[in-house]
Amino acid sequence: MRIAIIGVGNVGSALARAFRTAGHTVVVSSRRASLAEKIAEELGVSAASSNRAVAENAEMVVLAVPAKAVASVLDETAEFLDGTIVVDPTNPADEDAETVLRASASLAEAVVLLAPGARVVKAFNTVFASRLNDPAIDGIPLDGFYAGDDAQAKQVVADLLADMGFRPVDTGELLTARALELMAFLNISLNARGGWPWRSGWKLLGPVD
C-alpha cells in the first residue's frame, strides 16, 4: 500500500518507520520540504515536495499534524482525497481541560466536513509515539482502537494495525472517535501530572470475542 504521511514530527516519523517496517511504501511531506527530505532520508522512506504532491495517488493519507493544522492541510489537499482513506490520529492536546471535556464532537468528524469525499478513519490517536514501534508490554500486544463509517476503509486500517503488532479493536462508527480522543486525553493527562515516562498504553483484558 502507498501511504502518505503529512507531518514528520514525533507521530509522523514513528508511523513512517512502523509502516515501512510492515512492508508498505511510505511517502512523507511537511510544510517545510527540506525537513521532510531530511527525515525521509533518516527513516529510509521517500519525501514529496509538498502536501498536495504527497496526497495525489496515495491509497491512504495520514494527518500526522497538530489538530489546529488539520484545516489548512485539508484546504491544500481535499481535492485529491475523494475515495481516499484518510486516517486521523490527532488529539485536542493544545486546548484547556474544560474545553476538551465539554466538547460535543470529535476532531475526526471535522475532517469529514472539510474533506467530504474522504473515507475517514480515526486511528493511532490512543497510542503514544514511543509505542508505535514498540506495541507490546511484558509480551502483551497493546490494543489499536479505530473508528469509522466505511467498513472497507476500517478493515484496511485494522490490517495495518495488526501488521504493526497491535491487536485491532473496532469501536464502531466514527461517532465513537470522541471516546477515543478522551481516552488519549486521559493518558496524556496522567503522564503529565504524574511525571510518567510517556510509555503507557491501553489494553482491554478478558474475553473480547
Side-chain angles (χ1 to χ4, degrees), residues 13-38:
S13 297
L15 285 172
R17 180 180 289 110
F19 295 163
R20 184 210 64 199
T21 300
H24 300 281
T25 299
V26 180
V27 186
V28 300
S29 72
S30 170
R31 57 184 175 144
R32 292 168 50 200
S34 59
L35 177 61
E37 291 173 3
K38 177 178 180 293

